[in-house]
Amino acid sequence: MRKIPKKNYFILVLILAVSVSLTFYAREWYNTTKEYYARNSVIKESVREINESEIYSYTLESPAFILYASSGTDIDIKSFESNLRKLIVSHEMGDDIVYLNLDNIDISAFNDNLRTNFSNNVNNFSNDSLSTFYIFKDGKIILVYNNVNEYSMKFLSNLFKEWEND
């Protein structure tokens, strides 16, 4: 019977230890990433995020933009936001859209503020919308699209094409 050197056992144990360690590391990384995206919108990867208090100063700096407002934790719109992010990237709209996380915002007061300070003739603000586009031109809201997650990607693509042409 042939004798196996002890260094081979040492190499085997080392390979097993590294493999197990890498498996646990990959699992932890996956769980952390999954938890991060459960608490945050994927839209943040493609557009700038803005706070409610910064909207006024943002309209002074950039009077024409699209404000996308939604919950960062609502799992019902996660797949929509993933598709929307791809659409934003393909249309190169990252500089024209800003994101507002509505998780810690009183939506009724927020809409009242927008209606009072940024809207002349637009009245279709909804406090029940899961995701909303507020279209700003010249520092004023000219259009509001409520429940954008229910619109088709083709409609949103056409909206972005119109935006590019303006």
Side-chain angles (χ1 to χ4, degrees):
M1 180 168 245
R2 191 173 128 215
K3 186 169 177 159
I4 300 173
K6 289 184 181 183
K7 79 172 189 173
N8 288 359
Y9 289 113
F10 176 73
I11 291 171
L12 176 64
V13 169
L14 184 65
I15 290 173
L16 287 173
V18 169
S19 297
V20 169
S21 297
L22 286 174
T23 302
F24 280 111
Y25 175 78
R27 179 180 168 268
E28 189 62 33
W29 178 78
Y30 172 77
N31 287 338
T32 302
T33 304
K34 188 175 172 184
E35 183 180 321
Y36 172 80
Y37 284 116
R39 288 185 281 131
N40 295 291
S41 173
V42 296
I43 296 296
K44 289 174 35 174
E45 294 177 1
S46 303
V47 301
R48 285 172 276 171
E49 185 173 12
I50 192 170
N51 293 324
E52 180 182 11
S53 60
E54 299 171 332
I55 293 175
Y56 177 75
S57 59
Y58 194 83
T59 59
L60 296 175
E61 295 171 16
S62 179
F65 65 96
I66 299 172
L67 175 64
Y68 173 67
S70 73
S71 168
T73 58
D74 191 340
I75 59 172
D76 293 335
I77 60 173
K78 293 292 183 185
S79 65
F80 162 76
E81 286 186 345
S82 179
N83 292 330
L84 178 62
R85 186 179 76 72
K86 291 174 189 170
L87 195 63
I88 290 169
V89 169
S90 70
H91 284 276
E92 298 176 356
M93 295 284 294
D95 293 333
D96 298 318
I97 299 175
V98 292
Y99 169 71
L100 175 70
N101 187 337
L102 294 175
D103 286 335
N104 297 316
I105 294 176
D106 178 358
I107 296 172
S108 178
F110 171 70
N111 279 330
D112 289 342
N113 179 34
L114 289 180
R115 188 179 298 111
T116 303
N117 296 316
F118 301 103
S119 176
N120 292 333
N121 299 323
V122 179
N123 291 316
N124 63 327
F125 293 86
S126 172
N127 296 335
D128 299 322
S129 177
L130 291 178
S131 58
T132 306
F133 275 164
Y134 301 93
I135 313 293
F136 284 77
K137 292 267 176 134
D138 299 321
K140 296 290 183 184
I141 297 174
I142 60 165
L143 282 169
V144 175
Y145 291 101
N146 293 305
N147 291 313
V148 182
N149 55 305
E150 295 175 3
Y151 287 85
S152 70
M153 286 298 137
K154 182 175 174 117
F155 176 84
L156 295 177
S157 179
N158 289 334
L159 176 70
F160 290 167
K161 285 177 187 172
E162 285 179 31
W163 181 268
E164 293 167 355
N165 294 329
D166 282 348

